[in-house]
Amino acid sequence: MVLSVLAGVCLAATLAMFATGLSDLRQMLATKSVENIQFLPFLTTDANNLSWLGYGCLKGDGTVITVNAIGAALQTLYILVYLYYSPAKRPVLLQVLLLLAVVVTGYGYFTILVDTGTRLAHLGLFCSVFTISMYLSPLADLVCGAWQSWGLPAWALPDVCSCRPRSPTCQGSSPASCGSGSSSGTGQSRASPTAPCLPEGSPGAPQL
């Protein structure tokens, strides 16, 4: 009972994820163009669905077969519509042919070269690695951005404070008199505590 409920939840959640491409499909049909539509997610998701579909057929798992058959059908529909409205059909068609070549090669490898006793385990491992790689790909932008920020030289970073260093002594209690060299009414100078750095143009900030 519990497994059936979990299978139903997983099926519904995965189909909802695959259906997110329907918004792109509606946009392509409405505008009759592929502007601002990315093609690669359709292609990689279709390859992923076809891989898991093969795994489900090999294992005889109805849930895996159902969800990935529907997913592969949806992604194939997105690909065909994208190809129809794309002004540059040659690169798109080449990518589709590459996908088909990869699928056929993989099918031949797991069918002919992999032993029957370990075929299911090897195919499952391949599908898992492919899926994880697909969903981790957005982290590449984050990692590149983090390393780029880390590698920036100090002069390329924005100035958060434009005031110059204060004098070690301050005349009086007013921050504006720090470092001015003038004396207060008492004529005595006293050591200034660590003064906060004030942005240029703010009250009390020294004028450069």
Side-chain angles (χ1 to χ4, degrees), residues 11-206:
L11 180 64
T14 308
L15 291 179
M17 182 184 69
F18 293 152
T20 56
L22 290 174
S23 60
D24 291 334
L25 178 64
R26 286 194 297 267
Q27 180 179 338
M28 288 187 288
L29 293 175
T31 62
K32 299 186 184 305
S33 71
V34 295
E35 187 177 0
N36 299 325
I37 303 294
Q38 294 185 354
F39 178 68
L40 188 59
F42 299 153
L43 198 65
T44 55
T45 306
D46 201 8
N48 186 48
N49 289 145
L50 291 174
S51 300
W52 281 110
L53 180 60
Y55 176 84
C57 292
L58 185 62
K59 187 179 180 181
D61 191 315
T63 301
V64 177
I65 293 174
T66 302
V67 68
N68 286 285
I70 297 175
L74 286 174
Q75 302 304 321
T76 302
L77 175 62
Y78 303 153
I79 289 173
L80 292 176
V81 175
Y82 188 99
L83 179 62
Y84 181 77
Y85 288 115
S86 176
K89 291 182 170 51
R90 182 181 176 84
V92 177
L93 189 57
L94 288 176
Q95 293 180 61
V96 173
L97 293 176
L98 179 62
L99 167 65
L100 293 177
V102 170
V103 170
V104 171
T105 303
Y107 178 80
Y109 171 77
F110 286 106
T111 303
I112 300 173
L113 299 179
V114 178
D115 183 69
T116 306
T118 60
R119 186 177 299 162
L120 184 65
H122 280 80
L123 181 57
L125 179 61
F126 169 80
C127 293
S128 299
V129 171
F130 186 82
T131 303
I132 293 172
S133 302
M134 207 177 72
Y135 290 124
L136 281 181
S137 58
L139 289 178
D141 294 336
L142 177 63
V143 172
C144 291
W147 279 107
Q148 184 178 10
S149 300
W150 178 84
L152 282 176
W155 54 265
L157 298 176
D159 281 338
V160 295
C161 179
S162 58
C163 60
R164 59 182 121 172
R166 294 179 181 270
S167 170
T169 60
C170 281
Q171 304 295 330
S173 59
S174 173
S177 63
C178 290
S180 63
S182 61
S183 59
S184 64
T186 60
Q188 295 178 352
S189 63
R190 55 185 175 182
S192 169
T194 303
C197 187
L198 301 175
E200 183 179 357
S202 61

